[in-house]
Structures are given as structure tokens and as C-alpha cells.
Amino acid sequence: MEVTFWGTRGSIPVSGPRYAEFGGNTPCLQISLESTTDTVILDSGSGIRELGIRLVQTRAAHSRVIHLFLTHAHWDHIQGFPFFPPAFMPDFRLHIYCTKDARAVLDRQMSTPFFPVGLDVMGSTKLFHHLLPQEVTTIAEATLRHIPLPHPQESTAFRVDERGKSVVFATDTEHAPDHINETLRDLAEGADVLIYDAQYTSEEYSAGKQGWGHSTFAEAVKLARAAHVGKLVLYSHDPAHDDEMLRKIEAAAQEAFPGTVAARDGMKLKL
């Protein structure tokens, strides 16, 4: 299993020299499985555009079957979908999974006056799957489980397991003031990689970000320890955090949980 980070920024894309190292695209992960050449994608933020270009360029090397899992429907997690080239191509097949009505969400963002063409213009075959509580999705030898996360209008965490390797994607989640999220801890227990929402510093969170639906690197460390994960990846970087700030956050997290990394656009993790 290999995880590629195509977008790591929360809230809104950013650009410029101050963001060159960590990148500015909003959430999108690609998970390459060992048991199939199908492609698994988590979220369709602005990073999905570049991923889509790559999938078209390498179309002969994979099945052209894509499994897109959406954590939730906030703009930064779906804004790249209208610019996803495979969605327009008849030889691609898209399975789209969400705990909400993904068809209605994606159709609405591509409706007048928000976008010049509708979902019906996309030439790919699209199948929409409404994820039910405790439902397990199977793709070849991989299984995907999910749980709800505390976030305005709710978000979703996913765990992908394949051939003894596992990754947990838990972005857009807020921690409780006095305890860790035990349901998320159970989902992440023993995972090789935990990717966790660390949008704020503890100081920023205490200074007025409570209730905004995001967490901190300090809480990420607490959860990683409690769940006995192998590697912690900080994710959903605040658009106000430039490269210098993120290097400081990464270093502080590494002191508390060695091996922690702050996600960068283009970063790959081989499990």
C-alpha cells in the first residue's frame, strides 16, 4: 500500500513562495493498493485536479476504476471534483462513496450559477454509494471502515486495511476538552499510519477556535500514543500557516512523538 498526498491544506487553497515546501492544495489523498490496480481516493479538494491529470497520463497502467470516498461536503473537500479529468472520460468508471447524498452535493456545486456545465456533462460512468453506519466496503483485498467525526455538519474518518497494512484518515475533527475520542482511538488502534487534523496550535485553539471543528498537533500526539500507531502525519494545515510555521509545528510534534511528519503536497508513504 502506498499513500500519496495531493492536497494537505485546510479551508482554502494558498499559493506563493511562503507555501512552496508544504503546498497549498486542499484535501486529496491517493491510496495505491497491492491487490488491485483500481485507484482509491480520499476527498476531492483542489489537489484532485493534478491527480486526475496523472491518472489520464498513466491510463494504460491501471484499471481506470476509481473509488472516491468523501469525508464530508464542505467546500474545501469537494471543490476540485469539477476539474477532475477522468470524470469527463467515458473509459473511466467512478464509484463515489459518502455518508451524505454525494450525487446531490456534487450536482449542486456544478449547477447554475456556480459552474458552467452540470454533472450530466461528465462522460464517465458514475455510481454513487450511500455509506451506512458500521458498513464495511471491500475493494479487492482491502477493507474500508468509517466512523463519524465531531465537525460542523459532521465529517467521516476512514481506515483502510490491506495485507496487514493500515492507514487511518481523520481530518476535520475537533477534540473534546477533557478526553480523547475513544471511538477514533479504537478505529486507529495499531494502525501503521494515522493522518490527523492538526489545523491549529494549542494557543490558537484556546484563543477562539473552539467549535470550529478542528484540532491541534498536541491532541494528535495524544491520540497517536493512545492508539499505538506507527507513524503520525499532521494534516489540514491552516491557510495562515506558512512553511516556517509548519516546520516549527512539525519539530514540536516530533519531540513528543518521534517520526511525526507534517504532510506535504506530493509526499509519498510506502507502507
Side-chain angles (χ1 to χ4, degrees), residues 234-248:
L234 308 179
Y235 195 77
S236 191
H237 307 316
D238 192 274
H241 292 175
D242 60 11
D243 290 342
E244 181 180 3
M245 180 67 168
L246 288 175
R247 283 192 293 268
K248 291 178 180 178

Side-chain angles (χ1 to χ4, degrees), residues 73-221:
H74 284 170
W75 179 233
D76 50 329
H77 295 259
I78 63 170
Q79 64 190 156
F81 185 78
F83 304 93
F84 184 49
F88 290 88
M89 298 186 173
D91 59 335
F92 278 82
R93 186 177 184 90
L94 273 63
H95 293 269
I96 302 172
Y97 308 78
C98 191
T99 59
K100 306 293 191 292
D101 186 346
R103 182 193 294 273
V105 167
L106 297 177
D107 186 60
R108 184 176 181 184
Q109 79 162 341
M110 294 181 68
S111 65
T112 303
F114 308 114
F115 204 72
V117 297
L119 194 64
D120 58 314
V121 172
M122 292 179 158
S124 62
T125 298
K126 289 173 289 299
L127 299 106
F128 292 88
H129 305 270
H130 184 196
L131 292 173
L132 300 175
Q134 300 183 347
E135 181 177 0
V136 177
T137 304
T138 301
I139 302 170
E141 296 178 28
T143 58
L144 289 92
R145 291 181 284 148
H146 66 278
I147 61 167
L149 292 174
H151 186 68
Q153 292 88 53
E154 193 175 275
S155 183
T156 309
F158 291 99
R159 175 172 177 141
V160 184
D161 287 273
E162 185 200 33
R163 295 182 176 177
K165 301 296 182 181
S166 54
V167 59
V168 173
F169 184 52
T171 190
D172 288 48
T173 183
E174 187 161 0
H175 58 275
D178 56 352
H179 64 276
I180 62 170
N181 183 332
E182 295 180 357
T183 305
L184 180 54
R185 179 202 62 195
D186 292 345
L187 183 75
E189 178 63 40
D192 294 284
V193 176
L194 169 63
I195 304 165
Y196 183 84
D197 178 347
Q199 184 147 345
Y200 305 130
T201 64
S202 298
E203 293 75 17
E204 288 170 333
Y205 182 79
S206 299
K209 301 296 187 180
Q210 300 98 328
W212 288 38
H214 295 284
S215 193
T216 70
F217 75 84
E219 294 296 326
V221 166

Side-chain angles (χ1 to χ4, degrees), residues 1-4 30-34 268-271:
M1 189 189 304
E2 184 176 67
V3 182
T4 304
Q30 176 189 7
I31 298 181
S32 300
L33 300 173
E34 295 181 0
K268 293 179 180 289
L269 292 179
K270 181 70 174 178
L271 278 63

